[in-house]
Amino acid sequence: MSPISSQIPDPPANFQKLDAQPVDAVRMAATLVSAAVVIAALYYGQDVLIPLACAFLISFALNRPVSWLSRRGVPRIASVIVVMAMIVALLASLVGVLGSQLRSLSQELPTYQWTIRSKLSELRAQLKAPGIFEGALETVETVQKEVKAEERPSKAGEDAQPPPPQRVEIVPSPRDPFETAMAWLERSVEPLAKLGIVFVFVFLALLDRSDLRDRLLRMLGGNLHRSTDAIEEAGKRISKYLLMQLVVNVTYGVPMALGLYLIGVPGALLWGTVAAVMRFVPYVGPMLAAIFPISLAFAVDPGWNMVLWTIALIVTLEVISNNIVEPMLYGTSTGLSAMSLIASATFWTALWGPIGLILATPLTVCLLVIGRNIPQLQFLDTMLGSVPALDLPTRIYQRLLADDAEEAIDIATTEIDATSPREFYNDVAVATLRLASDDHLRHATAEHRLRVANGMDALLDDLREQYPSEIPEGAKPSVVCIGGKWEVDTIASEMLCHALALDGIAAVYRPATTISAAHIAKLDLEGADIVCVSYFTSTPALSARHFCRRLRRRWPKLRIVLALWNASPELLVSGAHETLGADVVVTSIEEATRRIHRLVDPHEAEEAQKAIVPDNDDERVTALRATGVLTGGSREDLDAAAMRAADVFHAGFAVITAIDKDQEFIVGQSKHLAGALTKDGTDMIVIPRADAVCDHVVATGEPLVVEDTERDPRFAENPTIKLWNARFYAGAPLRSAEGMVLGAMCILGTEPRTLDDRELEILASLADDVAAIITGDEAVAGPSKVLAASSATLGQPVPD
């Protein structure tokens, strides 16, 4: 291996690959042909597909009331008939009321003719009056006449023009009454027939929903878990979207009708209903709905007050609905980006006309869900989804490569506003430097390397200016952060130095350079207690051991921390730091600040890492003891719940804890665990509260996840963690109906692990079920029913 290639750092484990893959021309051609065939089928089969699409979307909205009736003992067919009859009766009554208003309005329209004529005459007179552009228009007309006069031929023979062609109009023969009636019948039968087809399809879809779901699962094939997730996600998103859209439209239509009634516009209820219905048509619908009340206000009022008040009402409702109601209710119910919403509306309108515009959002949601769950179609998720296509570190790294440090700073500042500088350094900035380290010799040019270095300098300078430390100037630093080998090592040292300063620890940084006796001699480390050396290479052992040996030789009492940002697992095992000649090995900014804080001031660090006792702790303990769980109550049910949690998460084991005044009780466990037992016959493991990891959950009332206990100084030396050989911990609070946190539902494992947001939701759901068992919630008939109910959220739920 060449000397240069041996210095190439290995890519990080979580690196997001963006390298271009070879293009398969045959596959691309097949994809394009398939897309063309699908689009052609959608266009030419719209007569069949539009009623089907409408029926299934309506069935999504009506399935909830049907399921609600079915769960209360009503037969499925009876539930469907009742719901459909209620919808038909509601629509019929609404049509009747609106029809009566429309009839009375049509009778009153002739009385408004004088007002309309007078206003039009006034407008016509104003338009004929000289305007600000009248002189300019006359000048243009004069110039045009002069130009035409110059271009006129001089010869008399050329002046002769052929006579203009005569217009011929063919007048069709009048139809007899029967033909006219048949023509009207043909026009009305087609929409009525489609409406009947939609009605029948909705009825069948609601009646045989389970069978249709099974057939769809069979058609999707492949991974049953993935297909189930796709159907469930599509159903939830579309149902929520339709429900929220109905709520938004009603909250728009009711104030519209009330406002028009107060203004005095005739048919206020009619126009409020039209506004609510037309808002189902994206973009165009609200504008069309606004034309009717404004036109009627123009016709009714001899003056202009009614028109102006109507326009003000519509504008106010649009602003409130678009900027307050819709963001609050919709949230991320569809998961579509703004660009994809507009593009989908254009696409479906071009294919299916106005009906396609109405169905655009639900149909695009289905495509998004398919792309999210089928690997071959993941490009749909990238194209349509609202989730950023690049993760945060990659976005910042790309902006640096593009020499756009300002935008990189904006992205970083936005993230820090939501978190903190230390969390940004720990979660985002270090990952960005990993990308730069991976590309250093493989892809990056000299210009790219310079852009990244300059951009990171500008970013760090801006963050130090925005978030200065409270350490007084001139304070003697106790920590020196040194770059081990590369430029990215120096940048990481700067970030760690700033993070330590924000934590109240005076620190300075030194750039990376060649390790030599002369360089070591030039380092000003007098008065420093700790040196932190950063390495991004995945093979830092030789260089780090050499550096530590030279530092030890010159400053024997110096404590050395090795920050191995991209180290291999064998360098992180217990005792590996001793072979490298260091006191501590860290892998993240968070761990480094906590370890260094412990080295600088052990007592303060230990006090800071203890769980805070809640203000209502006495009341909380009283509520816990009142449940009887500390005397062994519901032990079998709690053990069963712990076993279920361990099985669901495929974890090493699970425990259910209750935090008393001075002790933690293990009231449920999935397997036998070592520990001191109670002496009252309840045989529960008892742990001092000061050593209880779950006490942090009780203190904050929020879930706690420790991905690797060995890398977290708060729990690395915890006696219970060591006794159970736990490398992973996740706990969710057990909250009573009164809001008291009684303990925690915990899963643990012997290997490091992470949990995503959905898994945290499942853990919280399990914790709620366990809290119901402990407190004996009246809403739950018994423990077995609690466990049965929780199963709907544990694995791969299937919609009812």
Side-chain angles (χ1 to χ4, degrees):
M1 180 179 295
S2 65
I4 294 180
S5 62
S6 63
Q7 297 178 8
I8 300 176
D10 294 336
N14 62 346
F15 175 64
Q16 185 175 355
K17 288 292 184 182
L18 294 176
D19 296 342
Q21 299 295 330
V23 178
D24 189 339
V26 176
R27 178 175 295 181
M28 179 176 292
T31 302
L32 293 176
V33 170
S34 301
V37 170
V38 171
I39 293 174
L42 290 173
Y43 179 76
Y44 290 105
Q46 56 183 293
D47 292 338
V48 176
L49 295 177
I50 288 178
L52 280 175
C54 294
F56 281 110
L57 292 178
I58 294 173
S59 68
F60 275 121
L62 298 182
N63 181 63
R64 288 191 176 185
V66 171
S67 300
W68 184 83
L69 290 174
S70 298
R71 285 194 296 268
R72 278 149 183 80
V74 181
R76 182 77 181 183
I77 186 171
S79 302
V80 174
I81 293 174
V82 169
V83 171
M84 295 289 289
M86 291 176 61
I87 296 298
V88 171
L90 179 63
L91 292 177
S93 60
L94 185 61
V95 169
V97 173
L98 298 181
S100 63
Q101 281 211 347
L102 188 61
R103 189 182 306 109
S104 62
L105 189 62
S106 63
Q107 294 174 356
E108 296 174 0
L109 281 179
T111 63
Y112 305 141
Q113 292 181 6
W114 181 86
T115 305
I116 297 174
R117 289 175 180 175
S118 62
K119 282 189 175 181
L120 290 178
S121 300
E122 181 182 351
L123 289 175
R124 192 180 301 112
Q126 292 179 358
L127 291 175
K128 288 182 178 180
I132 59 175
F133 299 108
E134 190 72 23
L137 292 175
E138 290 180 358
T139 303
V140 172
E141 291 178 358
T142 303
V143 172
Q144 289 179 345
K145 290 178 180 179
E146 293 294 334
V147 171
K148 290 181 178 179
E150 291 179 1
E151 293 178 350
R152 188 173 300 161
S154 58
K155 295 182 180 179
E158 295 178 354
D159 291 340
Q161 298 291 335
Q166 297 296 321
R167 182 178 180 183
V168 178
E169 182 178 358
I170 300 176
V171 180
S173 58
R175 293 183 179 181
D176 57 32
F178 179 76
E179 291 179 347
T180 304
M182 291 301 297
W184 280 100
L185 183 62
E186 290 178 1
R187 294 179 181 178
S188 59
V189 164
E190 182 177 358
L192 290 176
K194 288 185 177 180
L195 186 62
I197 293 174
V198 171
F199 184 86
V200 172
F201 280 163
V202 170
F203 185 85
L204 295 177
L206 290 174
L207 186 62
D208 294 332
R209 185 173 181 84
S210 298
D211 181 66
L212 290 174
R213 180 190 60 208
D214 295 343
R215 294 181 183 278
L216 184 58
L217 287 170
R218 181 73 174 182
M219 290 171 58
L220 292 175
N223 190 314
L224 185 60
H225 297 77
R226 184 176 295 157
S227 302
T228 303
D229 286 343
I231 293 177
E232 178 195 13
E233 184 179 357
K236 284 184 177 179
R237 286 185 182 273
I238 294 175
S239 298
K240 184 178 180 181
Y241 169 74
L242 294 175
L243 177 62
M244 291 300 102
Q245 190 173 29
L246 178 62
V247 173
V248 168
N249 293 1
V250 170
T251 56
Y252 183 90
V254 171
M256 172 70 80
L258 182 61
L260 293 177
Y261 174 78
L262 295 177
I263 293 172
V265 178
L269 179 61
L270 173 64
W271 306 129
T273 305
V274 169
V277 172
M278 290 301 292
R279 286 183 69 85
F280 280 100
V281 182
Y283 311 114
V284 182
M287 292 186 291
L288 295 178
I291 294 175
F292 301 105
I294 293 175
S295 302
L296 195 57
F298 175 84
V300 171
D301 187 12
W304 294 93
N305 290 334
M306 185 177 290
V307 176
L308 295 178
W309 277 109
T310 303
I311 294 175
L313 173 65
I314 294 173
V315 171
T316 302
L317 290 178
E318 284 291 336
V319 171
I320 295 175
S321 181
N322 294 334
N323 297 282
I324 299 177
V325 178
E326 290 185 7
M328 181 176 62
L329 293 180
Y330 281 135
T332 56
S333 61
T334 61
L336 298 173
S337 65
M339 184 65 70
S340 64
L341 283 173
I342 297 175
S344 65
T346 305
F347 174 79
W348 290 108
T349 304
L351 280 182
W352 289 355
I355 299 297
L357 182 60
I358 298 175
L359 302 178
T361 299
L363 293 176
T364 310
V365 168
C366 294
L367 293 178
L368 172 68
V369 172
I370 291 173
R372 185 168 294 173
N373 292 277
I374 298 180
Q376 294 81 357
L377 299 176
Q378 285 185 353
F379 68 92
L380 293 174
D381 185 23
T382 303
M383 292 173 55
L384 304 175
S386 58
V387 178
L390 300 178
D391 58 17
L392 203 55
T394 308
R395 289 174 61 200
I396 293 179
Y397 180 52
Q398 189 276 329
R399 302 314 189 266
L400 296 177
L401 291 177
D403 201 16
D404 192 355
E406 291 298 327
E407 187 173 353
I409 293 173
D410 291 341
I411 296 173
T413 303
T414 303
E415 177 66 15
I416 292 174
D417 289 341
T419 56
S420 68
R422 190 167 76 175
E423 290 182 58
F424 169 76
Y425 287 146
N426 185 77
D427 300 332
V428 180
V430 171
T432 302
L433 293 181
R434 286 197 184 102
L435 298 176
S437 174
D438 179 69
D439 287 345
H440 185 75
L441 292 179
R442 298 186 180 183
H443 307 293
T445 63
E447 185 177 5
H448 289 148
R449 299 188 195 105
L450 181 61
R451 288 178 177 181
V452 171
N454 291 339
M456 288 301 298
D457 287 342
L459 174 61
L460 294 178
D461 289 341
D462 187 86
L463 295 183
R464 279 192 291 261
E465 183 179 349
Q466 289 188 54
Y467 306 96
S469 67
E470 298 180 357
I471 300 175
E473 293 186 11
K476 194 170 184 62
S478 59
V479 180
V480 178
C481 302
I482 304 175
K485 186 175 182 181
W486 300 62
E487 179 71 19
V488 291
D489 299 337
T490 301
I491 297 174
S493 298
E494 292 186 59
M495 295 192 306
L496 178 57
C497 183
H498 187 207
L500 290 172
L502 294 175
D503 204 33
I505 301 174
V508 294
Y509 72 91
R510 299 284 185 267
T513 187
T514 305
I515 302 175
S516 63
H519 169 64
I520 297 295
K522 291 180 181 179
L523 288 175
D524 183 14
L525 300 181
E526 295 297 336
D529 298 324
I530 301 169
V531 169
C532 181
V533 187
S534 295
Y535 287 99
F536 264 97
T537 176
S538 60
T539 56
L542 184 60
S543 179
R545 191 180 298 112
H546 186 51
F547 204 160
C548 292
R549 187 184 303 117
R550 287 183 176 274
L551 290 174
R552 293 282 188 201
R553 190 178 302 164
R554 187 171 180 84
W555 294 280
K557 296 182 179 180
L558 197 64
R559 287 176 290 183
I560 302 174
V561 177
L562 283 180
L564 307 182
W565 311 109
N566 200 24
S568 55
E570 57 268 16
L571 294 178
L572 304 178
V573 297
S574 180
H577 64 280
E578 297 176 357
T579 61
L580 297 174
D583 294 279
V584 177
V585 171
V586 298
T587 61
S588 66
I589 296 288
E590 189 77 19
E591 182 186 2
T593 53
R594 286 177 175 166
R595 295 279 188 186
I596 292 174
H597 192 184
R598 183 180 288 269
L599 292 175
V600 171
D601 192 340
H603 179 71
E604 181 183 350
E606 290 178 3
E607 291 298 323
Q609 291 173 0
K610 288 182 179 179
I612 300 174
V613 177
D615 296 333
N616 63 342
D617 196 60
D618 293 337
E619 185 179 357
R620 185 194 63 80
V621 171
T622 301
L624 172 64
R625 293 175 179 175
T627 63
V629 70
L630 300 182
T631 60
S634 305
R635 181 59 188 271
E636 292 184 0
D637 296 321
L638 294 175
D639 286 344
M643 292 180 64
R644 168 164 288 189
D647 181 67
V648 165
F649 286 95
H650 196 61
F653 55 98
V655 296
I656 300 171
T657 66
I659 305 294
D660 197 16
K661 185 70 175 177
D662 301 312
Q663 293 178 313
E664 176 187 54
F665 290 81
I666 307 299
V667 297
Q669 58 196 67
S670 62
K671 70 175 185 179
H672 176 74
L673 296 170
L677 301 178
T678 55
K679 299 179 181 180
D680 57 1
T682 55
D683 294 332
M684 289 187 290
I685 297 176
V686 181
I687 300 169
R689 184 172 180 177
D691 297 334
V693 179
C694 297
D695 198 24
H696 291 267
V697 179
V698 173
T700 62
E702 299 293 335
L704 172 66
V705 178
V706 184
E707 298 177 359
D708 189 349
T709 57
E710 288 191 4
R711 305 261 62 88
D712 194 325
R714 296 174 298 173
F715 311 114
E717 303 300 326
N718 185 280
T720 306
I721 292 294
K722 285 190 170 184
L723 178 64
W724 292 346
N725 191 29
R727 290 285 300 275
F728 164 77
Y729 169 91
L734 304 177
R735 201 181 304 273
S736 67
E738 294 77 19
M740 302 291 178
V741 180
L742 308 179
M745 170 80 243
C746 316
I747 55 173
L748 301 97
T750 57
E751 297 292 335
R753 180 178 174 179
T754 61
L755 292 183
D756 57 29
D757 293 339
R758 178 55 182 157
E759 289 174 322
L760 283 176
E761 291 176 3
I762 295 173
L763 183 61
S765 175
L766 283 174
D768 293 340
D769 294 340
V770 170
I773 297 176
I774 293 176
T775 59
D777 194 337
E778 294 181 358
V780 182
S784 60
K785 188 170 183 178
V786 174
L787 297 178
S790 67
S791 65
T793 62
L794 296 186
Q796 303 296 330
V798 178
D800 293 334

